[in-house]
Amino acid sequence: YIDGYHGLAKELRRLMARPGARLVLGGPYPNNGYTSFHLQGLNKVYAAARGWKEVDYVIDFLGAPLHDSRGHWGAGLMADEGHPNEDGHRCMYDLVDLGELLGPHDVDRMIGS
């Protein structure tokens, strides 16, 4: 799985034509059907993607409070076993580090500094 995901990231990077374009991946996210075995795999995927030179930023959707550290959604954040509810989506948004996502120059321009 990881090799296929990396191949996709390489192909996306190759297809990116705009100078300065950044490749951002959403990392794995919780699912109440996951077991500890699944969580080990999720952590391996996230760690691998963070090390790929083709990728500029990987959003960590396994951060608290979205993730309960067991592979499951945090309390009150799921619409169903595999999907976030409105509060879960808000929490996912809050886990995005704009400085990492856009780069420092773009963040300064975005907030008007």
Side-chain angles (χ1 to χ4, degrees), residues 1 5 25-35 38-47 49 58-74 77-85 88-89 91-93 95-96:
Y1 176 85
Y5 194 34
L25 300 178
Y29 57 87
N31 182 307
N32 276 25
Y34 288 156
T35 65
H38 295 109
L39 181 58
Q40 290 175 18
L42 298 175
N43 287 325
K44 286 180 183 179
V45 169
Y46 176 71
V58 181
I59 304 168
D60 182 6
F61 289 130
L62 295 178
L66 185 68
H67 177 237
D68 73 353
S69 77
R70 295 179 299 134
H72 303 153
W73 296 104
L77 299 175
M78 71 173 199
D80 61 42
E81 190 171 81
H83 300 94
N85 60 19
H89 278 106
C91 188
M92 291 176 95
Y93 173 82
L95 289 171
V96 175

Side-chain angles (χ1 to χ4, degrees), residues 7-18:
L8 177 61
K10 288 177 181 179
E11 181 65 9
L12 287 171
R13 173 58 76 187
R14 188 186 69 75
L15 293 171
M16 294 170 69
R18 183 173 172 245

